[in-house]
Amino acid sequence: MKRRELLKLAGLTAALLTTTAMLAGGARAQDKKWKIGFSQVTTIEPWRAQFNKDILAEAAKHPEVELIITDGEDKTEKQVADVENLIRQEVDALLVSPKESAGLTGVVQQAIDAKIPVFVLDRNVETNDYTQFVGGDNKLIGRAAGEYAVELLGGKGKAAGNVVEIWGGMGTQPAHDRHDGFHEFTDKEPGIKYLLDQQSGDWKQDQAYNIMATALRNNEKIDLVYGHNDPMAYGAYLAAKDVGREKDIKFIGIDGLPNEGVQLVANGELTATFTYVTPGAEGLRQAIKFLNGEKVEKTITLPTQKITKENAAQILKDNGL
């Protein structure tokens, strides 16, 4: 089975496991103390599937919690409807990971107005009235990626090369932060040239493949690809491989899931990835802490790590892979 098929299968399998676990927990709802709703944007992307697995694993440690997970099916309208339904169910706390910041702001404000504590995970919304934000610092991760890109292209003051950047969703703050952080380093190097103008792969491998295929046709020399997540970086790698140019290009991604980005780095298909820890477990812990009357911080920032060939094998070993 091809690698791209394995990645899709892994995501679908994790989503199926999530659905099964949710159904299994439903029968015990009458014994729960807290009803917590979680609005997930999608369940089929590998990082999102891991996100759900992490939050379910944490929920299993808390028999007092009934966790309701909804799937926005990668559509803003569906996710808005999901949150509205959770509000009607009068959940004790709402966790939400928006598809689009602006698109979910209104319904998040509805929850806030209904006196439901709201925990925003991964992608922010355009209001500060929520209880807490839990996620990685995307600008910091972008900076780390940009600093490493400069190193790969010759070092500070000497870096040179043609760079393809493949954006995540243009309507999401993480994509803008990952772009801005990256360019804080690369824009200081006059020898670095950018070949695309804000081409969005919407976080998806197949769309990134198509963007890269076009870039390869139009440019004889590409030195580095910066994908805003690992699936897109891998999609770009596959496009380059299909025309025999993958060995001439460095590929950098973000997410660092052991069975995805780390494995791709270990295989030599990506040059590096940067971990973007899913906020599911921490978000649920924080919501329970708040419901139990404890004070929570306004923002929880999760750590990141650069993963290259040098440490990928050990990370895989540590995760039993």
Side-chain angles (χ1 to χ4, degrees), residues 16 143 174 284 299 316 318:
L16 181 59
R143 289 181 189 129
L284 184 60
T299 300
L316 290 175
D318 292 344

Side-chain angles (χ1 to χ4, degrees), residues 96-147:
V96 57
S97 185
K99 175 174 173 60
E100 297 176 317
S101 301
L104 270 291
T105 297
V107 74
V108 164
Q109 190 63 55
Q110 287 180 37
I112 294 166
D113 292 343
K115 308 301 182 186
I116 297 172
V118 175
F119 296 77
V120 182
L121 310 181
D122 171 42
R123 300 175 184 171
N124 223 323
V125 289
E126 296 179 358
T127 176
N128 290 320
D129 295 337
Y130 52 79
T131 303
Q132 185 184 65
F133 172 82
V134 181
D137 186 333
N138 284 289
K139 189 167 285 188
L140 181 65
I141 294 172
R143 289 181 189 129
E147 185 175 23

Side-chain angles (χ1 to χ4, degrees), residues 26-27 34 37 44 57 61 71 75 88 103 133 160 200 234 242 244 251 269 301 312 321:
W34 305 117
I44 60 173
K61 303 174 185 177
D71 177 7
K75 300 179 181 71
R88 285 193 294 271
F133 172 82
S200 173
Y234 183 58
D242 284 348
F251 298 87
E269 294 161 314
T301 302
L321 297 173

Side-chain angles (χ1 to χ4, degrees), residues 185-260:
F185 280 87
T186 58
D187 284 357
K188 295 175 183 176
E189 303 296 329
I192 293 179
K193 294 179 172 47
Y194 311 99
L195 301 180
L196 301 181
D197 180 23
Q198 295 190 351
Q199 292 289 306
S200 173
D202 195 30
W203 309 106
K204 295 177 176 61
Q205 179 180 304
D206 58 343
Q207 293 191 33
Y209 180 99
N210 294 333
I211 290 169
M212 185 64 178
T214 300
L216 288 160
R217 286 195 298 270
N218 294 336
N219 298 278
E220 292 184 6
K221 187 173 185 291
I222 298 174
D223 299 287
L224 185 141
V225 172
Y226 170 46
H228 285 190
N229 70 358
D230 290 334
M232 293 194 301
Y234 183 58
Y237 168 84
L238 291 173
K241 185 177 181 181
D242 284 348
V243 294
R245 292 174 60 181
E246 80 280 6
K247 290 182 172 55
D248 301 324
I249 304 170
K250 307 293 186 184
F251 298 87
I252 296 176
I254 294 171
D255 280 351
L257 294 180
N259 61 354
E260 185 192 53

Side-chain angles (χ1 to χ4, degrees), residues 48-64:
R48 294 285 167 179
Q50 184 62 49
F51 192 156
N52 279 21
K53 288 173 69 176
D54 291 345
I55 198 170
L56 282 164
E58 183 64 29
K61 303 174 185 177
H62 301 277
E64 76 278 17

Side-chain angles (χ1 to χ4, degrees), residues 138-161 163 165 177-194 224 226 252 274 306:
N138 284 289
K139 189 167 285 188
L140 181 65
I141 294 172
R143 289 181 189 129
E147 185 175 23
Y148 189 55
V150 168
E151 180 183 330
L152 289 172
L153 293 173
K156 187 176 180 181
K158 298 179 290 184
V163 174
E165 178 182 5
D177 288 345
R178 292 177 186 188
H179 167 84
D180 292 345
F182 185 81
H183 282 257
E184 283 184 24
F185 280 87
T186 58
D187 284 357
K188 295 175 183 176
E189 303 296 329
I192 293 179
K193 294 179 172 47
Y194 311 99
L224 185 141
Y226 170 46
I252 296 176
F274 294 80
K306 180 174 75 176

